[in-house]
Amino acid sequence: MPVSDKTKEIILNAAKDLFAQKGFYKTTYADIARYAGVNQATVYRGFQTKENIFRMLLEEEYREIAKETFISYNGQGPISYKLKRLITTNLKLTIQSQILKYILRDEYSQFRNLFNTREKKALDEIRAIIEEGIEKGELKNEDPAFLISVLHSFRYCLLNLFKNEKIPLESKYSLDHLIETINTIFIEGFLNYFHKELPHNQS
């Protein structure tokens, strides 16, 4: 007997809550079934494996993050300003994600390949934006790969900070403070440094 879409949604929501609370490995099939109010056979018929449930949730989470991220990029303004909005939105949504929060802190290494694939796609999209800025003459013709490497390093540092529970995130090390610091260094530092200066007769 096939599992209805409504029941699948209930199971997915239950698994999402449990993964956020306990992580992937400490959450069992039985936990998911009990939390969803169904039997384990129903969970199996709907998804076969716990890995399938997790991947579906992760894919949906990344789709939502990508959608909100690039909505933030739309609008008027120079490339550097729009890029700052995009990076701020993406980093905040990634860190604040309920399902990613536990995984990033305790189980990142087990899902490294999956995360690396998603991170590469996001960085490739940002690289395309930088290249657009170069084509429009808003940025100098510098190597976009260098700028992406710098941004990736900042992002890696931020994720590592949030893996450490000892950091008092409610203080000056809050998410807003850390992201603003990254934007100040990368957008207002690196991109302004590489920003194309207009000839004096065009200023």
Side-chain angles (χ1 to χ4, degrees):
M1 178 180 176
V3 179
S4 69
D5 290 341
K6 183 177 180 179
T7 300
K8 285 183 179 180
E9 184 179 355
I10 291 171
I11 294 170
L12 286 171
N13 287 335
K16 185 174 183 178
D17 286 346
L18 290 170
F19 290 151
Q21 294 169 21
K22 302 169 62 175
F24 175 80
Y25 289 105
K26 291 181 181 178
T27 299
T28 67
Y29 230 69
D31 290 335
I32 295 171
R34 190 180 308 111
Y35 198 90
V38 299
N39 59 48
Q40 293 186 54
T42 301
V43 179
Y44 179 80
R45 289 202 312 273
F47 301 97
Q48 283 73 57
T49 67
K50 186 174 70 169
E51 287 78 5
N52 286 341
I53 296 174
F54 178 77
R55 288 180 180 276
M56 287 184 68
L57 288 170
L58 203 58
E59 289 290 336
E60 177 61 27
E61 197 76 359
Y62 272 117
R63 277 196 295 271
E64 287 300 311
I65 290 174
K67 182 177 74 173
E68 293 299 321
T69 295
F70 285 92
I71 285 175
S72 72
Y73 178 73
N74 291 331
Q76 301 299 316
I79 292 293
S80 58
Y81 174 73
K82 294 197 290 184
L83 195 55
K84 182 175 182 178
R85 288 202 313 248
L86 181 151
I87 292 170
T88 297
T89 302
N90 182 267
L91 290 176
K92 280 189 176 182
L93 290 175
T94 299
I95 296 297
Q96 292 174 339
S97 164
Q98 289 298 309
I99 191 172
L100 292 176
K101 185 176 180 180
Y102 194 108
I103 306 300
L104 288 171
R105 191 185 71 230
D106 291 340
E107 298 177 346
Y108 181 83
S109 60
Q110 290 91 332
F111 297 99
R112 187 181 303 278
N113 289 339
L114 185 58
F115 283 117
N116 285 347
T117 299
R118 286 296 176 179
E119 288 171 3
K120 182 180 183 304
K121 182 178 179 182
L123 291 171
D124 284 346
E125 289 169 340
I126 292 175
R127 176 174 178 159
I129 292 169
I130 292 174
E131 290 173 345
E132 177 189 349
I134 292 172
E135 290 176 4
K136 289 182 175 180
E138 293 185 34
L139 301 175
K140 284 186 178 181
N141 190 16
E142 302 291 343
D143 184 4
F146 167 72
L147 297 174
I148 289 298
S149 295
V150 171
L151 179 60
H152 182 62
S153 297
F154 288 146
R155 188 175 185 276
Y156 179 79
C157 289
L158 179 64
L159 294 180
N160 271 280
L161 285 171
F162 272 80
K163 292 176 194 176
N164 187 346
E165 290 182 299
K166 296 180 181 178
I167 293 179
L169 296 178
E170 72 281 359
S171 68
K172 66 178 181 178
Y173 299 107
S174 68
L175 178 61
D176 286 342
H177 174 81
L178 291 170
I179 291 177
E180 184 60 30
T181 299
I182 288 176
N183 270 324
T184 298
I185 296 172
F186 183 70
I187 302 295
E188 298 175 16
F190 278 89
L191 288 189
N192 277 354
Y193 179 79
F194 290 113
H195 195 279
K196 180 177 180 180
E197 295 180 1
L198 292 174
H200 290 300
N201 61 358
Q202 295 184 30
S203 58

